Amino acid sequence: MSQLSRLIAILTTLRSKRLVTAPQLADKYDVSIRTIYRDIRKLEAAGVPVVTIEGKGYALMEGYNVTPMQFSEKEANALITAQQLVKQTKDSSFVSDFNDALVKIKSVFKTTIQEKSELLERKIYVFNSDFENTSSHALSDIQLAITHFNYIEMHYLKAHATTATHRKIEPYALYATNHKWILIAWCHLRASYRAFRIDRIQHFKILTDTFEDRNFELQAYFQSCDAINA
């Protein structure tokens, strides 16, 4: 059982019982008690209000209910497929946020659909023919910067370059190609729009300062010119 499947199962158990102990969960899912402790912390980080009752076990906060909604099996399968595609982005922040969201979504699946979705998860895999071993951890923060119009300062390493350059940018849009995320931003160093591969951003900081929207439109950008390598 994958960690995500186990988190869903633990959440389902917590919803169906008033109180459950770590040893009971460890025995049920054939893992160590330490693993259960980590799982509980993961659920808490995802926003699930797990209450720890000293000497007794875990319970959900009284009155907590997941928003009722019904998913068809095809819709559930679409989410499982999306999970496999998300993994190919190689951005740890985005994968983590997606998995946290999926924990909440799958908690409202009917038991039969949840079982089928877990079966499909073991029977679907996306091969990546791109052997470049690169990864990033900035996508989730950059998405927030785009929607809140926050400046970003970063050190960016161009292809074949030996040293990174310091950039202050206005982030506007994202697109993905060949499992790589590309950020389109106004670069103050170059005084024009530039395309930055997120996995080449070495260090970055989202500033509290905001910029004025230049009314950037991604489709118009693609139509007017090819993405310019920064």
Side-chain angles (χ1 to χ4, degrees):
M1 176 182 287
S2 69
Q3 183 192 45
L4 181 59
S5 297
R6 190 173 62 252
L7 289 173
I8 298 299
I10 291 174
L11 180 55
T12 301
T13 300
L14 289 169
R15 289 175 60 207
S16 62
K17 293 185 178 182
R18 292 180 59 85
L19 195 66
V20 64
T21 67
Q24 287 173 335
L25 292 172
D27 182 65
K28 182 174 183 178
Y29 300 112
D30 194 27
V31 295
S32 68
I33 293 178
R34 187 179 296 275
T35 296
I36 295 298
Y37 291 156
R38 288 196 295 266
D39 289 344
I40 294 297
R41 288 196 296 270
K42 187 73 173 178
L43 287 172
E44 291 172 338
V48 179
V50 180
V51 177
T52 302
I53 303 174
E54 293 296 334
K56 293 185 177 181
Y58 302 108
L60 286 180
M61 182 180 294
E62 188 174 353
Y64 172 73
N65 288 301
V66 181
T67 303
M69 61 183 73
Q70 295 296 324
F71 287 87
S72 69
E73 187 172 346
K74 284 185 176 181
E75 291 170 336
N77 289 346
L79 287 169
I80 296 302
T81 304
Q83 181 189 15
Q84 299 302 317
L85 295 173
V86 164
K87 290 177 182 178
Q88 299 301 312
T89 66
K90 296 184 179 180
D91 185 278
S92 59
S93 66
F94 183 55
V95 173
S96 176
D97 287 339
F98 184 88
N99 285 341
D100 287 347
L102 200 55
V103 166
K104 298 175 184 179
I105 293 171
K106 288 182 68 177
S107 69
V108 301
F109 284 179
K110 291 190 299 184
T111 301
T112 54
I113 290 181
Q114 183 174 316
E115 291 173 350
K116 294 294 187 183
S117 70
E118 291 176 357
L119 174 62
L120 180 64
E121 188 176 349
R122 298 193 298 270
K123 293 179 178 291
I124 188 169
Y125 185 80
V126 178
F127 282 98
N128 182 3
S129 59
D130 184 356
F131 295 103
E132 187 176 357
N133 186 22
T134 58
S135 61
S136 61
H137 61 279
L139 183 58
S140 291
D141 286 329
I142 288 174
Q143 289 174 329
L144 290 177
I146 289 173
T147 57
H148 290 267
F149 300 97
N150 291 111
Y151 286 108
I152 297 176
E153 286 188 348
M154 65 181 185
H155 287 90
Y156 187 76
L157 186 66
K158 292 174 60 175
H160 310 300
T162 56
T163 58
T165 56
H166 179 267
R167 310 287 183 106
K168 183 177 181 180
I169 61 172
E170 301 170 12
Y172 280 103
L174 292 159
Y175 71 91
T177 179
N178 297 324
H179 307 299
K180 303 292 189 303
W181 281 101
I182 312 298
L183 169 65
I184 305 299
W186 179 268
C187 177
H188 284 254
L189 179 66
R190 306 302 186 199
S192 63
Y193 289 111
R194 288 290 190 267
F196 300 96
R197 262 180 54 173
I198 289 182
D199 57 336
R200 289 182 180 153
I201 297 175
Q202 295 192 324
H203 305 284
F204 73 96
K205 181 180 181 181
I206 309 298
L207 304 183
T208 56
D209 295 341
T210 58
F211 56 86
E212 291 294 327
D213 186 7
R214 297 175 187 267
N215 297 315
F216 175 87
E217 293 292 339
L218 186 58
Q219 292 302 320
Y221 173 82
F222 285 139
Q223 290 171 2
S224 64
C225 64
D226 293 329
I228 304 172
N229 290 324

